[in-house]
Amino acid sequence: MPDLTLREAIRKGLQEALDNDPRVFIMGEDVGAYGGAYAVTKGFLRQYGPERIRDTPISESVIVGAGVGAAMGGMRPIVEIMTINFSLLAMDQIVNHAAKLRYMSGGQLMVPLLIRTVTGGGAGLAATHSQSLEGWYASVPGLKVVFPSTPADALGLLRTCLKDPNTIIYCEHALLYGVRGPVPDTYYEVPLGRAEVKRPGTDVTLISYGRGVHLCLQAATELARRGVQAEVIDLRSLRPLDLETPLASLRKTHRALIVEEAWPMAGIGPYLGLRLHQEAFDDLDAPIAHLCGADTPAPYARNLERLSLPDVPAILKTVAEAFGL
Amino acid sequence: MQLQERLTKTELVSFYRQMLLIRRFEERCAEMYMLGKIRGFLHLYIGEEAIAVGCMSALRPEDYVVTHYRDHGHALARGMDPKVAMAELFGKVTGCSRGKGGSMHFFDASRNFMGGYAIVGGQLPVAVGLALASKMKGEPRVTVCFFGDGALNQGEFHEAFNLASLWKLPVVFFLENNLYGMGSHIDRTYAGGRDVFKAGEHYRIPAAQTDGMDVLAVREATLRAVEHARQGNGPFFLEALTYRFRGHSMADPVEYRDRAEEEAWKVRDPIPTFQRYLLENAIATLTELSEIARQVNDEVEEAIRFADASPEPPPEALYEDIYA
Ligand SMILES: Cc1ncc(C[n+]2csc(CCOP(=O)(O)OP(=O)(O)O)c2C)c(N)n1
């Protein structure tokens, strides 16, 4: 099993799709000649040509909208929105059109569109370039949202997404592109809506996705040194959202902490926490804890930004305070 | 009204029939709305029928049509069964969108009628994408995208024009300029002046203006525009000058318009105008046209009966068709 970076895994998935399905094409700002803002599509233009690797103007609304139309017209577009922050300019196309056309047309239309976008903070980009908006999209019926944390999941999820007949927001955390991990040579897919136990444990459940999974794994290693066995769960897709895997874990550990970068209000964490309280109240030894981004716009200053995002010490501190572990 | 191509009597009479069908259908819609049978917003197309009929007559079945929320006329002219259209307005499962779309969201994929869109300007990028799909697949389809003058002021207008022109996509941007966006006259909302069709020049999109009250003029202008796009020359921008005789929606008492202006436009009502043309050129007799009016009435009444008698969507439908 070769080790790939998360970036390489996504590249592999995109190339497979371009090689195997003539309906697949990629469009977005600087995906071609420039090679993609995060170098994911570097070299694709030379390999596949400008018909299939389409550089667009800086026009988020028409990039997504043209993806919607092309998908309705029988193509399999993959659009790249340079970062999720700019998807706000295409919010209408995503939320009002892509997500709703099937419903409003009484099932006549399909919008098999994959929207790849970069998300997350931590790179000193300040408030408009560091947002974690995946939860907003996950709140919209008609959309699916995936968020891989490992190269293997990135490829497996991408394969599944490209077979799915719906519009999917595929989130790539900016700080995870260089993360390396084993990726099976044999063909596999990762289903949507199935969380994975990334590390088994018996004393506390740490639930996260994307970069938070890596923080939880590091925290679990530290906890193990203290004799506490933490189970780490990677949600992998936010919609559909797997409740069963966290529930099964809770019934074993009786304690859970949800870790995410997004703001405290109206996100995945609050929703998941409520559902878990409803479903597993009797199994809980303590209320479910939530560690998330600070309730502020992302600050630029290094120290403040650090304070605004979950990190390993904060996870350990929360576990200690909430559960006495 | 001049006739440069040879249309058969059957074709000409069918234009009359379709315009009349749209008119009667919507007049009855207004009544059904007052009775509470139709809910939500109801935007009538009355006065603009020549555009839908003239345009659709110039399209091939494989062409895509995308439009805005004032979509009944386009759907009927595209061949949607009035029963299915009325049932949608009544929120019945037999409607074109199975009761999920309502007045502003008619869809008929079997006729490549890809929908009415209720967000002003939102349909423009979608149309660009449909045209992109056709071009990439090498299909000879053209996408016709209707929009109102209000959409001129949305960023999507520029994004869509720019991309369609850059990529030479087979799309006809069809502006139905009825001079008003809700209660705002175009002179108060659009800084570009009245030569709106020149708005595409900046993007090197050729354009033309046509008389939206004249079904044959619209047909001819559409034929040219569509041909331009079909030949691979990229987008075309067509502006039809028209007027909506009623309010923006049923909730609009139309207090912002000058009555003299309304009267001046009503003299040009596309239906009596075309009727006169048919009679004066001895293409049809008054008896024939009255017979058509009678049939159209029956058809609309039948649509209402059908819609009324149709079942509501079952409760399970609430969760159906969210995902494919
Ligand atoms: C983005 C957006 N803003 C506002 C509205 C509310 N609205 C609905 S129709 C309309 C007027 C549009 O006028 P126009 O495009 O000229 O079309 P017409 O009604 O004249 O056919 C407005 C403001 C909307 N639907 N979408």
Side-chain angles (χ1 to χ4, degrees):
Chain A
M1 231 190 295
D3 265 13
L4 294 183
T5 62
L6 190 124
R7 178 186 287 109
E8 287 162 349
I10 296 170
R11 284 173 61 78
K12 183 172 153 79
L14 295 174
Q15 284 171 320
E16 263 178 30
L18 286 159
D19 290 338
N20 297 336
D21 185 346
R23 299 169 309 157
V24 169
F25 68 100
I26 296 177
M27 67 177 155
E29 293 158 19
D30 284 313
V31 295
Y34 188 91
Y38 290 84
V40 173
T41 51
K42 210 177 184 73
F44 280 27
L45 178 61
R46 211 173 326 112
Q47 197 178 347
Y48 298 103
E51 266 289 294
R52 299 186 74 198
I53 308 297
R54 294 183 164 257
D55 276 326
T56 64
I58 306 168
S59 306
E60 284 76 11
S61 185
V62 78
I63 294 168
V64 174
V68 172
M72 277 160 56
M75 297 298 285
R76 196 71 179 75
I78 300 174
V79 307
E80 178 175 315
I81 293 294
M82 203 176 275
T83 82
I84 203 163
N85 306 284
F86 317 142
S87 75
L88 297 179
L89 288 104
M91 200 76 161
D92 175 54
Q93 290 296 330
I94 299 171
V95 177
N96 279 322
H97 304 306
K100 308 290 165 50
L101 279 164
R102 182 158 187 87
Y103 199 73
M104 291 193 305
S105 70
Q108 294 182 74
L109 300 181
M110 262 197 321
V111 188
L113 170 66
L114 185 70
I115 302 174
R116 284 183 45 237
T117 190
V118 179
T119 177
L125 299 175
T128 61
H129 278 59
S130 309
Q131 300 173 96
S132 299
L133 306 178
E134 56 277 359
W136 290 15
Y137 291 114
S139 77
V140 179
L143 294 179
K144 295 187 178 182
V145 179
V146 304
F147 205 139
S149 72
T150 64
D153 284 349
L155 177 58
L157 287 167
L158 188 54
R159 285 175 175 150
T160 312
C161 289
L162 286 167
K163 286 187 176 166
D164 195 292
N166 299 289
T167 297
I168 301 180
I169 316 279
Y170 184 99
C171 300
E172 302 167 17
H173 196 292
L175 300 186
L176 289 187
Y177 280 122
V179 163
R180 212 167 260 290
V183 175
D185 267 331
T186 48
Y187 186 87
Y188 66 98
E189 291 173 12
V190 173
L192 306 191
R194 206 140 340 129
E196 189 180 55
V197 176
K198 287 280 197 266
R199 171 186 174 125
T202 48
D203 302 327
V204 60
T205 302
L206 306 178
I207 306 169
S208 193
Y209 61 88
R211 191 163 97 92
V213 172
H214 297 275
L215 301 177
C216 289
L217 287 169
Q218 288 169 40
T221 305
E222 178 56 32
L223 285 167
R225 239 175 295 201
R226 304 177 189 176
V228 175
Q229 299 306 321
E231 179 147 298
V232 177
I233 292 179
D234 181 355
L235 294 171
R236 302 198 290 193
S237 84
L238 307 183
R239 188 181 188 110
L241 182 66
D242 180 4
L243 283 179
E244 287 316 310
T245 307
L247 274 175
S249 180
L250 256 183
R251 297 198 171 109
K252 193 166 59 171
T253 66
H254 311 292
R255 302 172 187 95
L257 165 64
I258 301 170
V259 178
E260 63 175 334
E261 283 190 27
W263 292 303
M265 243 178 102
I268 289 296
Y271 173 74
L272 182 63
L274 172 69
R275 294 299 308 274
L276 294 178
H277 275 110
Q278 287 170 331
E279 303 285 327
F281 188 70
D282 293 338
D283 291 296
L284 292 176
D285 279 353
I288 289 166
H290 184 217
L291 179 65
C292 59
D295 201 7
T296 66
Y300 169 70
R302 191 186 300 277
N303 65 324
L304 292 182
E305 187 181 43
R306 220 177 258 153
L307 280 176
S308 77
L309 291 169
D311 58 11
V312 176
I315 294 173
L316 295 172
K317 182 163 174 269
T318 312
V319 168
E321 284 173 4
F323 312 123
L325 295 174
Chain B
M1 200 161 321
Q2 25 153 280
L3 188 53
Q4 291 182 0
E5 50 170 342
R6 295 226 54 83
L7 287 160
T8 64
K9 167 176 174 164
T10 318
E11 284 168 319
L12 289 165
V13 169
S14 89
F15 297 164
Y16 178 74
R17 172 198 288 272
Q18 288 177 61
M19 288 197 287
L20 203 60
L21 174 67
I22 298 170
R23 177 73 56 96
R24 288 281 168 275
F25 182 91
E26 289 208 313
E27 284 168 350
R28 291 290 277 146
C29 282
E31 291 165 26
M32 294 299 114
Y33 189 83
M34 301 315 283
L35 290 175
K37 301 259 183 194
I38 297 176
R39 317 173 56 228
F41 291 143
L42 181 68
H43 307 93
L44 300 180
Y45 193 59
I46 289 176
E48 307 188 25
E49 297 90 344
I51 299 178
V53 172
C55 173
M56 299 302 168
S57 80
L59 305 187
R60 298 185 190 162
E62 67 266 28
D63 293 333
Y64 286 127
V65 177
V66 175
T67 185
H68 48 146
Y69 48 86
R70 202 180 293 286
D71 56 358
H72 310 163
H74 305 112
L76 292 173
R78 190 61 176 164
M80 183 182 285
D81 184 338
K83 293 204 288 292
V84 170
M86 191 63 85
E88 186 61 35
L89 294 171
F90 278 43
K92 300 300 181 73
V93 71
T94 48
C96 58
S97 305
R98 303 182 61 222
K100 294 276 190 71
S103 169
M104 304 191 287
H105 309 108
F106 278 14
F107 291 86
D108 190 347
S110 71
R111 290 182 169 78
N112 291 314
F113 184 76
M114 304 308 268
Y117 292 72
I119 307 291
V120 170
Q123 72 277 26
L124 289 149
V126 176
V128 168
L130 283 163
L132 174 61
S134 312
K135 179 163 180 178
M136 292 187 78
K137 291 160 93 182
E139 297 166 343
R141 303 177 198 251
V142 172
T143 298
V144 174
C145 176
F146 292 99
F147 59 104
D149 41 291
L152 290 168
N153 307 315
Q154 285 283 350
E156 282 165 326
F157 170 80
H158 299 277
E159 294 191 20
F161 267 49
N162 186 48
L163 197 68
S165 180
L166 278 172
W167 290 356
K168 277 198 173 306
L169 300 179
V171 55
V172 172
F173 294 111
F174 199 130
L175 168 60
E176 296 179 307
N177 186 357
N178 62 19
L179 302 176
Y180 289 86
M182 293 187 66
S184 300
H185 192 276
I186 187 168
D187 288 348
R188 290 192 293 114
T189 56
Y190 182 71
R194 285 292 184 90
D195 288 333
V196 181
F197 70 105
K198 292 189 178 152
E201 268 177 12
H202 185 64
Y203 301 106
R204 304 191 184 195
I205 297 182
Q209 200 178 41
T210 188
D211 179 359
M213 307 309 260
D214 177 345
V215 66
L216 298 181
V218 172
R219 176 184 158 84
E220 209 168 284
T222 310
L223 279 169
R224 287 207 195 104
V226 168
E227 196 50 25
H228 172 91
R230 211 185 301 281
Q231 294 309 321
N233 302 313
F236 196 93
F237 182 23
L238 190 56
E239 179 193 16
L241 294 171
T242 185
Y243 203 74
R244 63 168 156 70
F245 292 170
R246 304 259 182 133
H248 166 68
S249 72
M250 290 298 288
D252 173 14
V254 207
E255 279 160 359
Y256 46 84
R257 285 199 313 210
D258 179 26
R259 295 291 167 252
E261 177 187 276
E262 291 183 0
E263 289 316 313
W265 279 94
K266 280 184 181 165
V267 171
R268 310 205 42 234
D269 187 329
I271 298 177
T273 312
F274 192 58
Q275 180 178 30
R276 259 195 315 280
Y277 168 84
L278 293 178
L279 294 174
E280 280 165 12
N281 290 280
I283 295 164
T285 65
L286 200 52
T287 325
E288 285 170 322
L289 298 185
S290 321
E291 172 57 17
I292 285 171
R294 200 188 55 74
Q295 288 169 4
V296 162
N297 272 339
D298 287 353
E299 208 178 335
V300 172
E301 293 318 305
E302 173 58 24
I304 291 172
R305 269 195 302 277
F306 173 82
D308 229 358
S310 288
E312 293 177 321
E316 316 84 84
L318 181 60
Y319 292 102
E320 282 170 4
D321 296 323
I322 298 174
Y323 295 100

